[in-house]
Each structure stands twice: as structure tokens, then as C-alpha cells.
Amino acid sequence: MKPRNYLTALLALAAVFLGSAVTSAHAADLQAALSSREAYVGAPIMLHLEVANASSHDEPTLPEVRGLDIQSAGAPSRSTQTTIINGRRTDRTSATYTWRITPRQAGTFEIPPIDLKVDGQIRSTRPMRFVATKSETGDLLFAEITGQQKEIYVGQPLTLTLNLWIKPYHNNEFDLTLSEENMWQMISEGTNWGAFTERMTELAENRQRPGGEEVLRTDSNGQERAYYQYQIEATVYPKKPGQIEVGDLQIVVDYPTRLAKSRDPFGSMFDDDFFGGMSPFGGRDFSPFRRNSLSVVASRPVVAEATVAPIDVKPVPTAGRPADYRGTVGQYQIVTQALPTDVKAGDPITLHIGIRGDGPMELVQAPPLAALPQLTADFKVANEPLAGLVEGDTKLFTTTIRPRREGITEIPAIPLTFFDPAKEAFVTVKSEPIAIHVSKAERLALDSIVGNPSSADRPHDDQASAAPTLDLQNYTRDDALTSSSSQGNWPWMLAMLLPPLAVALAWVVKHHGHLFTNNRSPQEQRIHAARHAIQTAGSPAEVASVANSLAAEIGNGADRAQLDQLLALCDQAAYSGSSDQQLPALKHQAIDLLDQVSRTTVEHRPQAATRMFGRRQMIATACLALAVLAVAVPVGSHFAGQSAQATADHDRVATTTPESQQPALPTLSDQQMAIILAEANTAYQDGRKASADDAAAAKEEFAQAATKYGQLVENGVRNSNLYVNLANAQLQLGATGKAIANYERALDHDPSNWQARNNLSIARSALHGLSNETENATSLGGLLSKSAEQLQSVLPPSVTTTMCASLWLALCGVILGSLVRPSRYWNVASLSVAGLLLVAVGVTNLERLTTADEPDAIVATQTAVLREAPGDQFPAIQSEALKEGEGLDVLKVDGNWVQIQTADGATGWVANPDVELL
């Protein structure tokens, strides 16, 4: 075969191979089809939409068509088909969507093109047309709607009755008449019940149906015939004047036209197989006509449009309509209930409002409480609509009101206005007034104990000025957002340490000659050198040489005789040849001689030579040491307290279970924190302005301020002034326990915060009462603490701090002057300034020194209960009552429970919300 023929054959073989192996690809296809081009009114036909060979497509939707009821038939069906013909493989995938289309009126309908995005491209189907005809109802079905009233008002309840008459089907072949139950089950799923839909749904959920009975009714020819009558009642509430509307009510019955024997004599006689789930005998053990082998095999839809009896709906009159009318029509009653009834000014009262009537309760609105002057004059009321809960013929509303001031004795009657159709007039009913008792607000009661809330209201007499006064002015500067830390104290530490360092440097410069030279006398230096030479001597001759050098230092006496004896022994050892054996003894005897000579030299030294420096320098050094102690002790205790607190916090976190760990909050930006701080300060100032006249409004503002200050703390801001702001807002709200906890936190970050210390002392006194004050006044600690408070009331912290710093610098200057230019006047000045500095430091730190150990937690509420174990199910320890503001020691944290120890040693568990961990 020629090469060209070989090549042609190979190409042909390759083409055949590729053609058999490669799967043919088809483009995506979109097709739509109707199950029938003709339909009966009320009888559904099916629309199928197939998406084939598409890798992706959108969910199809059908447009609305007037006169058609279009509903999806469920999830799409998906299929995959593979075909191999002559070695050629073809794959086809499809998704088919189905809709049930029910015509509600006769006519020709057109379903517009369906646009669908398939594989990134828009594809459309062709428009589809079909015709719907109305099946001849004849005398087979009648529907009529009647009402109890002929005239009603908009919103007035109206009971409608739907009467259905269905002619019984009689089969001549089997001489059988279907029962009323069988005929009811022939009602099509395509029926639209209109205003009776809710009632029919309720019956279906309870597996019930309207009862029927056989009656005589006149047909269209005026002759009486037997019919099955069904009655369905529903209550409607007309929404607009005119004729009553019953919705798109349309009754469709699949009226039987033929019965036949079942194809399977051993199967179910009246299953759903023959007519799509509408068999009237499905699931029955026997047919009503005692033949288990018959079923409906043919039917036709019969449609009836219900006739409605004339009912005139009149509008509610506008003449004389009260301002508080909210569209309620019917007859109603109103009752109210309030809890609690014994409150303080500004505290919330829960007000329950119940309205009972015969109208549509879901449409009933609550009375406009914010528009009732008799209520808003004494109570703060939220200006917002209330959502209610319907229970039978009653609707319940719940809201919160706050008394504006003390002395209010009752919640006034709440009016409800409605239109009574029977009287054709507007009627107003009222609830009964509710007696309450409103006492002075918590913070105002605190003021009555400790003084007035602001400096503007303070009395100017001497007795009143001596009483402690709350300082509730908040800190408004932006540096309240700067977290304080121990590193921020280093500049102050450096400033306090620089003056004594300068003094020490000056002293070193002046006495550098004594510091860097040997202070021994020349004689003592020679003795010291001789000792070293004897210790390193290697022969008796060297020991004798060193001893001869000291002959001038030793006079006539015992030391001289001892020296001569030593020299003789050295000569004897050198000539005897036993020097190695006698050398250690000779060294020991020589050193003993040097010690005796050294003691004699020290005893005969002049007394003035032993003094390092004079009396003036000693006094200056003593004053400097006292000053250093005066500064170092408070600072050291402060940092030691911080370290202990950090260790305690670490241990407390370590014992916390994972369940108690809260999710991390989103971090606020600096701009957001500045906005929140400004809003909090504004709310706090507004609350102070309103506190004199409106306690309810004031508490709302204080609550808002406390919430915003708390947001900043939760965001990680640790600032003493911010804690004081939060505590002041909580104190204004009456949350004294929480306020005490935040005052403690403020002092922990800045012990010199006089406002926090002052308000903390007053808040504790107010909670613990006068008996506790009397007990403290009789103890040494109480007397010292009282003295500290009185001194601090005269000398604010800024004054004492400035005075301490000035005296410190003055003392350092005096000591430096005494070193540079010695004079006897410096002694008196240094002692005086040192004494004043000690007094100033003592006054500044007296309160801190007299305060007991700081607690780990504070009781935050009045309802805290101490339990035997962590959990509400465990019994309470009845012998121990926790008081609000009481300090506790934390032993362990377990989830939302804290194990604590009280001051008297009792231990137990408290719920975390009831205590504030410091």
C-alpha cells in the first residue's frame, strides 16, 4: 500500500475513534408547556417549565395574570438521561418546575414569556394561551351569604353565614346516591373561601368539617328538590363603608359523572389513585353504600359564585369624636393593675392595662397614655405605642411609668373611648384609680443625711459648713479617657528623687578626698603592711626582717620584750636548720605581736581623728534620711498595693471557669469614646437639672449617663475620674452599693482623689447608719479617720500635695546649703523643715493609714443572698445577712457565682450580679 493510502486510513480510523469516544455537547434549552389548552373555571391545569443541559440557572418565577390563581406545585424534579447510539454517547440533564394554574373566570388567558438567566444568558419562552369556560352549574350547586344585621358600622363585628346547597349525585347503573359526607368531600382544592378562609383552616387543623343535612330547596325552575345543605359561620370586621365584602369567594365542586368498579378487587376500594387524592372514600374500610368495589372515575367542575345579602356598612361619625378615640368599635371595659405600689420618686412602676370587649381584639389599641394630662402631670410616661397580647376576648398591655416626685398618692383612672353601635354614640369608660405611696428618692434621702447635693445649695452657717457634703460634680475633660497606670507615676518619682540625689552628689564632691583615700593613720598603715608581709613570708629571716621594721613603733615595755624574744627565735630557727618546722609558729607569734601593737595604737589615737564628719553633717544626714522615709513609705505602700491587687486579679481570673468568660466586646475608637463621654456628661448634667422638679426624668438621664460611662469602662478605660463619674451617676440612681464599688476602684487607681474618698465615706455612712458612726468614733482608728476627714475638709488634697512638694524641695535645699556653706543656722532650719514635712505627709496619708485592708468585692444590691453552694437551688445561710455596700473577701469564682468571706469570717456563695468584684 502506498504511503498516502496508509495516511488516509490512519486519519479515518482516528476520526472514527474520536467520534465514538467524545460525548456530544448540547446547548442549554428552555421549554414551557401547558397540560391542556382548555380548562374549566375553578379547575386547575398544570404548567411545566423544563431547563435542560444547563450548568447554572436562576430560580424561575411566573408573572401575575389577572383572573388566574397561580401556585407552585412544589420543588422541581431533576433527572439525568444517558443515551449511546452507535458508540456515540449523549448526556441530558434537566430540571422541571411545575405550577398549578386555576382560572377564576371564563375567558381566554395568555401567560407572557418567562425570562430566565441560563448559563449567563437570558432565555425566554414563547407566550402560551388557553381558554377557560364555565361549566354549566345548572341546579347542582347554590351558594348564598347572609348576615345577622342589615346595617353596621366600620369595625363593628358582623357574623356571616355561608349556605351551600349541593344536589346529591345518583347513579342509575348501580342505583346509588352519595351521602352528604361523600358530596362534601367532592369540594375541590381549588375552592377560594374568601372571608371564610380562617374558619375553614381552623376546621381542617382540628380534622373537622361543617355538618350537612338533606333539605328541600326550590331550584331555578321553581320546583322543590332534595339538596345537601352546609352552613359555615365566620365573623368579619368591615374596614370601609359601603356594601359588605367577602373577598374572592368561589366554590368549586368536582361533581361526579360516573362510578365504576375498582380495578383491583383486593386493593383499597376508594383510594386516591383514580382522582388525584380527592376520593371521598379514601381510607375507609367500607363504602357508605356497602359496596367495596366502586369509585368515582369521572367528574366535572361545577363553580358557584356566592350571592351576598345586602348589608350596609356605615362610617363612624366624625362629629363629637373625642381626641383620645383610637378607632375602637363595640362595647369594652378597661381595668388596670400596678406593681409595686410602694416606691421612691423616679423608681419604675409596672402598669398592666386589660381591655375586654366584643370587637376585634387584635385591632384594639392601648389608650394614649402620653396624651393624658392627668397622668403625665405626676408620672413620666413613654411616648410610644404599646404592643398587646390577645387572650380570648381580652387584650393585655404592659408599660412602665415613673413618679416624678414624692407625695403622689394614686395612679389616676385610665380612660378608654370607643364607639358603641347600639347607642350610636362615643362612650368613655375608666379604670379604677390605684392607691400608691411615693417616698423621697434614694439619692435625695441620702442628701438629707449628709447635706445638700451641690455647692450652690449649701448653707453658709458655720455648723452646716462643718458637715460632710457630697461632691457630685463630674469630671468633663477628655483626659478622663486616658487609662492611668504605675508608669504614669515615674515622672513624679523622678522629680522627688532628683533633689536628694543632688544633695548626695554635692556631699560626694566635697568629701571625695576622704572617700577615695585610705582613712588609716600612717602608723596603722605600716602595721597593716607588716601583717601582710608576715603572712607571705617564706623563711624565719623574712619574719625577722619585718619585725625589725616595727622596732621604731614599739617602745620599752612588754611589747619590746616580746619583740626581742621573737627575733631570737627567728635567729635560732635560721641556724638550727629546722626553719620549715618552726616557721608557722613564728608567723603566729609575730601576728599576735602586731595585734597587740595595733590595739595599743588605737587606744592612744586622738578622739577627733575617729569622727568621719561633724555634727552638722550628721544632723543633715539624719534629716535627709527622715525625709526619704517620709516619701518612700507612702510610695512604696502604694506600689505594693498595686502589685498585690494585680496578683489578686490574676488569681481570681485563674479560678474563673470558662463558662463565666464573656465574649470580647468590639473595641471603640478614640473618636467614638469621645462622643460617648460627651453624651454621658450631657445626660448627667441634664439629670442634675431635672432632679429638683422631676425625679423620674432625672433618673432616666442618670441611667443613660451610667450606661455610657459603663461602656467606656467595659472598653478598657481605667481612669480614676471616670470611675468617680460612673459612681456619681449610680449614686444619683440609688445604686449605692455599685457606687461604693466604683469609688473604691477610683481610689485604687489614684489614692489622692479626694472627691472619691469624700463621697465614699459619705455613702458608707448613709448605708451603715448612725450606730456604725458612733462605734467608729469610739475607736482609735475611727478618731484618726474622723480627724483626717476634718483636716481634708480644711486642706484640700491639692493644697497638702503642694505643701509636701514645697517642703521636700526646701529641705533638700537646706541640706545642700549646709554642705556647701557650713553654718549653725542650717541645723535649726533643717530640723524645722523636716518636722513640717513629716506633719504634711502624715496629714496627706492619714486616711490611707487608718483605712482597713481594701475588700475584694462589694455587695451591690439589697437582695443579695448568701448560699451554701453555687446555685439558686441550694439553701440560703439564714444566719448571715449581706448588707448593701459591705466589703467582702473573694475566695473563688465559679461561673456566675462567687465564693466570699464576710468580715466576721462567714463563707458562702453569692450570685455574681449581686456583688461587684474590685
Side-chain angles (χ1 to χ4, degrees):
M1 184 177 293
K2 296 181 179 181
R4 179 175 295 179
N5 294 337
Y6 278 114
L7 181 60
T8 303
L10 289 174
L11 292 175
L13 183 62
V16 172
F17 177 77
L18 293 174
S20 63
V22 176
T23 301
S24 62
H26 295 273
D29 189 21
L30 182 67
Q31 294 182 357
L34 291 171
S35 61
S36 175
R37 295 288 182 175
E38 294 184 358
Y40 286 107
V41 174
I45 61 174
M46 311 306 291
L47 170 62
H48 304 283
L49 177 67
E50 183 186 49
V51 183
N53 299 323
S55 59
S56 64
H57 64 275
D58 294 343
E59 195 74 15
T61 57
L62 261 63
E64 293 185 0
V65 180
R66 183 180 179 85
L68 297 181
D69 185 8
I70 303 176
Q71 295 181 353
S72 174
S77 61
R78 304 182 185 276
S79 63
T80 301
Q81 181 181 4
T82 301
T83 305
I84 301 177
I85 302 176
N86 296 329
R88 188 179 182 86
R89 174 177 170 175
T90 303
D91 293 331
R92 188 177 189 276
T93 60
S94 65
T96 303
Y97 297 83
T98 305
W99 289 267
R100 183 181 292 109
I101 300 178
T102 305
R104 293 301 177 186
Q105 60 189 28
T108 300
F109 299 94
E110 180 177 294
I111 298 177
I114 303 173
D115 297 329
L116 187 64
K117 188 175 182 179
V118 180
D119 291 342
Q121 297 181 355
I122 301 297
R123 295 180 178 271
S124 302
T125 63
R126 294 181 179 180
M128 293 168 286
R129 301 175 71 242
F130 72 96
V131 61
T133 58
K134 188 173 183 180
S135 176
E136 292 296 333
T137 303
D139 296 333
L140 300 179
L141 177 63
F142 295 96
E144 181 180 307
I145 297 177
T146 59
Q148 293 181 349
Q149 302 99 334
K150 298 300 181 181
E151 291 184 348
I152 60 172
Y153 286 92
V154 173
Q156 181 180 353
L158 171 64
T159 301
L160 296 178
T161 302
L162 171 62
N163 293 278
L164 293 180
W165 291 273
I166 302 177
K167 188 175 182 179
Y169 171 73
H170 180 76
N171 185 272
N172 294 324
E173 180 181 357
F174 298 101
D175 190 20
L176 175 68
T177 301
L178 298 185
S179 68
E180 59 89 13
E181 180 182 0
N182 302 143
M183 294 306 298
W184 173 261
Q185 292 179 351
M186 301 306 297
I187 295 179
S188 172
E189 290 182 351
T191 297
N192 193 339
W193 294 102
F196 297 86
T197 301
E198 183 176 353
R199 176 57 179 166
M200 295 304 299
T201 302
E202 179 182 354
L203 290 175
E205 291 176 350
N206 296 327
R207 296 186 176 183
Q208 297 176 344
R209 68 174 182 86
E213 62 177 347
E214 188 174 4
V215 298
L216 295 178
R217 173 189 165 85
T218 303
D219 60 12
S220 58
N221 296 323
Q223 298 181 358
E224 288 189 340
R225 301 286 186 180
Y227 286 88
Y228 292 139
Q229 183 183 14
Y230 307 89
Q231 290 186 336
I232 306 168
E233 290 187 351
T235 302
V236 297
Y237 303 94
K239 297 180 180 179
K240 61 181 181 178
Q243 290 298 317
I244 192 69
E245 295 181 355
V246 294
D248 297 330
L249 191 147
Q250 190 178 65
I251 309 299
V252 181
V253 176
D254 293 325
Y255 202 84
T257 58
R258 189 164 64 91
L259 298 180
K261 292 183 178 181
S262 174
R263 293 176 296 176
D264 183 3
F266 301 100
S268 177
M269 282 67 67
F270 295 97
D271 280 346
D272 299 341
D273 299 338
F274 289 94
F275 41 90
M278 290 306 301
S279 170
F281 315 116
R284 295 178 56 88
D285 294 334
F286 56 89
S287 72
F289 40 85
R290 302 180 184 275
R291 295 180 184 178
N292 294 337
S293 60
L294 295 178
S295 63
V296 177
V297 296
S299 64
R300 68 183 181 91
V302 178
V303 181
E305 304 287 346
T307 60
V308 183
I311 300 175
D312 185 22
V313 181
K314 299 186 295 185
V316 176
T318 57
R321 180 180 296 182
D324 60 345
Y325 177 67
R326 291 296 181 268
T328 307
V329 178
Q331 295 180 347
Y332 299 88
Q333 296 176 343
I334 181 172
V335 294
T336 56
Q337 181 186 28
L339 292 173
T341 56
D342 190 354
V343 296
K344 296 179 174 61
D347 287 350
I349 298 176
T350 301
L351 180 63
H352 301 283
I353 302 175
I355 300 177
R356 176 180 295 176
D358 59 357
M361 301 310 300
E362 63 275 4
L363 302 179
V364 173
Q365 300 182 24
L369 301 182
L372 302 178
Q374 67 273 26
L375 180 66
T376 57
D378 295 331
F379 296 89
K380 178 73 175 179
V381 182
N383 188 13
E384 58 184 16
L386 302 180
L389 177 63
V390 178
E391 295 182 359
D393 61 349
T394 304
K395 191 168 186 178
L396 302 176
F397 301 91
T398 301
T399 187
T400 299
I401 61 176
R402 295 175 181 267
R404 298 184 182 274
R405 55 189 171 275
E406 62 174 322
I408 300 175
T409 58
E410 69 174 16
I411 299 175
I414 306 299
L416 173 66
T417 299
F418 56 88
F419 180 77
D420 189 349
K423 299 179 180 179
E424 296 188 345
F426 293 97
V427 178
T428 299
V429 295
K430 295 183 179 181
S431 64
E432 294 293 332
I434 302 175
I436 62 173
H437 176 264
V438 180
S439 57
K440 185 178 294 187
E442 184 93 13
R443 212 275 298 168
L444 298 179
L446 184 64
D447 290 341
S448 65
I449 298 175
V450 301
N452 295 317
S454 62
S455 59
D457 300 329
R458 296 174 186 171
H460 298 285
D461 56 326
D462 297 337
Q463 182 179 0
S465 62
T469 305
L470 282 171
D471 184 2
L472 298 176
Q473 184 65 39
N474 272 8
Y475 190 81
T476 58
R477 294 173 56 181
D478 291 340
D479 56 359
L481 298 174
T482 303
S483 295
S484 59
S485 63
S486 58
Q487 295 181 354
N489 295 323
W490 283 112
W492 291 102
M493 290 287 296
L494 186 60
M496 300 301 290
L497 292 176
L498 281 178
L501 289 176
V503 173
L505 181 61
W507 185 87
V508 169
V509 171
K510 183 175 181 180
H511 298 87
H512 68 280
H514 296 284
L515 293 175
F516 300 103
T517 60
N518 198 335
N519 292 326
R520 298 185 181 95
S521 64
Q523 186 178 10
E524 291 175 339
Q525 292 180 11
R526 288 194 296 271
I527 294 175
H528 180 74
R531 182 189 301 274
H532 179 71
I534 291 173
Q535 292 175 348
T536 59
S539 64
E542 294 180 3
V543 175
S545 176
V546 175
N548 284 326
S549 65
L550 295 176
E553 305 295 337
I554 303 175
N556 297 323
D559 294 340
R560 185 67 180 186
Q562 188 176 357
L563 177 61
D564 293 340
Q565 182 182 1
L566 176 63
L567 292 175
L569 291 175
C570 288
D571 291 340
Q572 181 180 357
Y575 291 106
S576 65
S578 58
S579 59
D580 293 338
Q581 292 80 9
Q582 298 182 9
L583 181 61
L586 294 175
K587 286 184 177 183
H588 181 71
Q589 187 174 356
I591 290 176
D592 290 342
L593 177 60
L594 288 178
D595 292 340
Q596 182 63 30
V597 173
S598 177
R599 286 194 293 270
T600 304
T601 303
V602 172
E603 291 175 359
H604 292 83
R605 178 190 296 178
Q607 185 67 25
T610 62
R611 295 173 55 181
M612 189 71 180
F613 39 81
R615 183 181 302 172
R616 184 173 60 255
Q617 286 84 355
M618 294 179 62
I619 294 176
T621 304
C623 293
L624 183 62
L626 289 175
V628 170
L629 287 176
V631 175
V633 170
V635 173
S637 63
H638 170 67
F639 284 104
Q642 282 191 340
S643 177
Q645 181 67 25
T647 303
D649 292 342
H650 179 271
D651 295 340
R652 190 178 301 132
V653 172
T655 59
T656 302
T657 57
E659 290 78 9
S660 65
Q661 296 178 0
Q662 300 295 331
L665 297 174
T667 304
L668 299 174
S669 64
D670 294 342
Q671 182 179 4
Q672 290 173 329
M673 289 193 296
I675 294 174
I676 292 176
L677 178 62
E679 292 176 349
N681 292 334
T682 301
Y684 183 80
Q685 295 301 328
D686 292 343
R688 295 194 68 191
K689 294 177 182 177
S691 60
D693 302 324
D694 193 341
K699 285 201 171 183
E700 286 189 358
E701 296 293 342
F702 289 139
Q704 182 181 1
T707 299
K708 292 186 178 295
Y709 287 135
Q711 288 178 350
L712 297 176
V713 172
E714 292 175 358
N715 197 58
V717 179
R718 300 293 182 266
N719 185 281
S720 179
N721 292 321
L722 181 62
Y723 280 123
V724 171
N725 288 357
L726 175 59
N728 287 345
Q730 291 170 336
L731 193 64
Q732 300 273 20
L733 287 170
T736 311
K738 294 183 178 180
I740 289 176
N742 283 295
Y743 285 136
E744 291 279 9
R745 295 186 179 107
L747 291 174
D748 180 62
H749 286 78
D750 182 11
S752 64
N753 193 323
W754 177 86
Q755 184 184 10
R757 192 174 300 278
N758 174 73
N759 291 358
L760 174 62
S761 175
I762 295 174
R764 281 177 172 169
S765 300
L767 280 182
H768 298 160
L770 297 177
S771 60
N772 187 65
E773 292 182 359
T774 304
E775 181 181 352
N776 289 337
T778 59
S779 62
L780 177 60
L783 291 174
L784 292 176
S785 179
K786 190 68 175 179
S787 300
E789 292 179 5
Q790 293 178 354
L791 286 173
Q792 288 179 353
S793 64
V794 178
L795 298 175
S798 58
V799 175
T800 57
T801 302
T802 303
M803 183 170 59
C804 289
S806 301
L807 291 173
W808 170 254
L809 295 176
L811 179 61
C812 293
V814 169
I815 296 174
L816 182 62
S818 66
L819 295 177
V820 175
R821 297 180 63 87
S823 174
R824 61 190 181 93
Y825 297 107
W826 294 116
N827 297 338
V828 179
S830 59
L831 289 174
S832 302
V833 174
L836 291 175
L837 177 60
L838 289 176
V839 172
V841 172
V843 170
T844 304
N845 296 274
L846 184 59
E847 175 68 20
R848 185 188 309 167
L849 295 176
T850 57
T851 303
D853 294 338
E854 293 183 357
D856 297 329
I858 298 295
V859 180
T861 63
Q862 298 178 353
T863 58
V865 179
L866 191 64
R867 298 189 180 275
E868 296 180 355
D872 293 328
Q873 69 273 19
F874 295 101
I877 302 177
Q878 301 294 340
S879 59
E880 294 294 331
L882 298 179
K883 299 179 181 179
E884 184 181 9
E886 179 182 356
L888 306 171
D889 291 332
V890 175
L891 303 179
K892 184 179 179 181
V893 178
D894 185 5
N896 291 327
W897 290 85
V898 182
Q899 187 182 24
I900 57 90
Q901 183 177 19
T902 62
D904 55 3
T907 60
W909 292 85
V910 185
N912 202 354
D914 292 335
V915 295
E916 285 279 338
L917 299 180
L918 300 180

